[in-house]
Amino acid sequence: MSVIYSLDLAGTFVFTISGALAASDKKHHHDIFSVFFTGFITAIGGGTIRDVTLGAYPVAWINDMNYLLAIFSGVLFTLIFRRYIIRISRTLSIFDTIGMAIYVVLGVQKSILYDVNLLAAVVLGMVSGIFGGVIRDTLLNEIPLIFRKEMYATPCLLGSLLFVILYVLKIDSTINFISSVLFIVLFRFLAVRYAWSLPRLTFNE
């Protein structure tokens, strides 16, 4: 099992936790099926949109049962240990950020393998990372993070761009993968810690 494939399954696992944890929040009052479905759609949402756009059929989770096992494991882990992991400060944000970072880099890497132009690969990498969270928040009737003040899509876009730059420079693929993931995670945590945000647009009537 390759390092990148292992990280892909790990990303699926933690993104599932992100979705399941959000759905199991007391204010939502969801049953077990709802928790599973939210975790499932969070984990596969961005990757499915990417694969459909690329024409990569069948999509990864349909072709490989290990992804579904990672999703089931993520939901089960959340249901069993929720009361413990919820105590960790910003638990949802931690799982969301790690899953997002892994999915971004996997997305841009897979896009390059399908010979799309490099700018399109950057965009598809970002889409892979953020759309699972967008779908999750929409299902839970929350404002998606990309529409809030804090930086969410920007770390994904820059991390995706970093991967492409290192790819063009012919950096080892594993080093490139890990470096880009760490960049996104660090950028996202710093953005949250110091309340970084992009300038707001104002329109005068």
Side-chain angles (χ1 to χ4, degrees), residues 23 29 56-57 109 126-127 158 182:
H29 304 290
Y57 300 112
Q109 184 182 54
M126 180 184 68
V127 167
L158 294 179
L182 291 177

Side-chain angles (χ1 to χ4, degrees), residues 1-204:
M1 184 181 292
S2 69
V3 173
I4 292 177
Y5 179 68
S6 299
L7 288 172
D8 192 2
L9 293 177
T12 302
F13 178 78
V14 297
F15 234 170
T16 301
I17 294 174
S18 168
L21 199 59
S24 64
D25 189 279
K26 289 182 179 179
K27 67 180 179 180
H28 294 299
H29 304 290
H30 288 167
D31 58 24
I32 291 177
F33 177 80
S34 298
V35 171
F36 169 79
F37 181 77
T38 306
F40 170 78
I41 205 68
T42 303
I44 61 95
T48 299
I49 292 173
R50 176 203 64 218
D51 287 353
V52 170
T53 303
L54 290 173
Y57 300 112
V59 295
W61 63 271
I62 294 176
N63 196 42
D64 187 343
M65 189 173 65
N66 287 331
Y67 290 97
L68 292 177
L69 292 177
I71 291 170
F72 277 109
S73 299
V75 172
L76 187 61
F77 180 87
T78 303
L79 293 174
I80 294 175
F81 297 107
R82 179 186 176 279
R83 66 171 60 185
Y84 301 104
I85 59 179
I86 203 68
R87 296 174 186 171
I88 303 173
S89 177
R90 294 188 176 275
T91 302
L92 176 58
S93 178
I94 291 171
F95 286 115
D96 185 65
T97 298
I98 294 173
M100 177 183 72
I102 293 174
Y103 268 40
V104 166
V105 180
L106 287 169
V108 65
Q109 184 182 54
K110 185 168 186 176
S111 299
I112 290 172
L113 290 175
Y114 274 76
D115 293 324
V116 304
N117 70 75
L118 294 181
L119 287 179
V122 170
V123 173
L124 284 171
M126 180 184 68
V127 167
S128 298
I130 69 173
F131 266 83
V134 170
I135 296 171
R136 176 200 64 214
D137 293 341
T138 302
L139 286 174
L140 298 177
N141 201 29
E142 302 281 352
I143 299 175
L145 283 172
I146 60 171
F147 299 129
R148 301 181 198 176
K149 184 178 179 181
E150 63 185 80
M151 286 188 175
Y152 188 70
T154 302
C156 297
L157 187 63
L158 294 179
S160 190
L161 180 61
L162 174 63
F163 184 92
V164 167
I165 291 172
L166 296 180
Y167 169 80
V168 171
L169 294 175
K170 301 187 184 303
I171 302 299
D172 177 78
S173 60
T174 301
I175 294 175
N176 188 357
F177 189 101
I178 294 173
S179 299
S180 299
V181 167
L182 291 177
F183 172 84
I184 295 170
V185 171
L186 181 60
F187 193 116
R188 169 70 175 151
F189 282 154
L190 289 175
V192 172
R193 174 67 177 81
Y194 296 103
W196 293 347
S197 62
L198 295 174
R200 289 189 175 185
L201 293 176
T202 57
F203 300 94
N204 295 322

